[in-house]
Amino acid sequence: AKMLRFAVFAIVAIGHAAAFSAGAGGTVPLATTSGAASNCVRARVKRTLACSLSMSNTPALKSIIVDEESMLKEQNFALAPAVLIQKSKNFLESRGGFGADPALLADTFQFMGPVVGPLSKDAFVTAIGGVDMKTAFPDFQGEFYNFHVDPFEGNRVWYTARGRGTNTGPLKPFTTTATDMPLVNPPQACSLTFDEEGLVIK
């Protein structure tokens, strides 16, 4: 009997929902009855409608998928994405993927690695120049791909770095003996950040 009475009250409440359009503080007319069931239904209907009104006033959220093309246009950086990508490739090719031509680095350059860094321009050039990769891995083949400009930072180019080779010589200054073992680098996300002159600052 209670379940039937609740169903009747709910149907009546739906039929009178238009009366709530005056505002969240209004009341919804229900069939005249007595008992706790009536108060319970009335309270539930008011809570449901109030929740519905609250949700309807919530601003619509943007898509979680970023519109990269539109965001890149809004960045309006001095150098176009295609130019930045080509400069990134030139940077990597200048020293075979290990370091870079110092002329391509801004005076304010900083190297930021997951373990090493920050290093200034001079410290970076000195550190990279002290590692003899050609002797240690004469057959090393760098693999760089997936170049793209960051839609949130219009002067930053991201790319993926891999590489493979065989350690057939000493890796000075770290070791004087070769392991004769193959090396396969896992994919690593790397980036280069440029100033408006096209020099790398990070």
Side-chain angles (χ1 to χ4, degrees):
K2 289 184 179 179
M3 291 298 296
L4 179 59
R5 197 183 316 166
F6 181 85
V8 171
F9 289 154
I11 294 173
V12 172
I14 294 172
H16 289 78
F20 198 82
S21 60
T27 58
V28 179
L30 297 176
T32 302
T33 185
S34 59
S38 176
N39 293 332
C40 179
V41 172
R42 182 176 289 106
R44 289 188 181 183
V45 171
K46 291 179 71 174
R47 284 199 303 269
T48 301
L49 291 175
C51 179
S52 177
L53 287 173
S54 175
M55 293 178 63
S56 66
N57 292 330
T58 302
L61 297 177
K62 294 181 179 180
S63 170
I64 62 173
I65 307 302
V66 173
D67 187 344
E68 298 179 39
E69 184 176 354
S70 296
M71 289 190 66
L72 283 174
K73 289 180 180 179
E74 293 175 0
Q75 293 293 331
N76 196 31
F77 186 61
L79 302 177
V83 174
L84 291 173
I85 289 174
Q86 186 57 56
K87 284 185 174 295
S88 298
K89 294 177 179 180
N90 295 342
F91 177 92
L92 294 170
E93 290 177 334
S94 69
R95 290 291 185 273
F98 297 104
D101 184 342
L104 302 178
L105 305 176
D107 291 338
T108 58
F109 170 84
Q110 281 194 322
F111 173 80
M112 308 288 289
V115 178
V116 179
L119 297 178
S120 67
K121 175 179 178 178
D122 291 340
F124 173 75
V125 172
T126 300
I128 291 296
V131 180
D132 189 357
M133 290 295 297
K134 289 185 177 180
T135 299
F137 297 89
D139 65 342
F140 188 84
Q141 175 63 55
E143 299 165 329
F144 302 96
Y145 59 99
N146 194 29
F147 291 82
H148 60 282
V149 176
D150 192 321
F152 292 91
E153 300 175 71
N155 62 333
R156 188 175 190 177
V157 176
W158 287 93
Y159 60 92
T160 302
R162 288 180 183 258
R164 61 193 68 234
T166 308
N167 178 214
T168 58
L171 181 58
K172 297 180 180 180
F174 303 108
T175 179
T176 58
T177 59
T179 64
D180 295 320
M181 296 181 63
L183 167 72
V184 178
N185 279 342
Q188 303 173 68
C190 307
S191 72
L192 297 170
T193 304
F194 294 83
D195 63 16
E196 294 187 352
E197 301 299 321
L199 298 177
V200 177
I201 58 176
K202 184 168 63 175

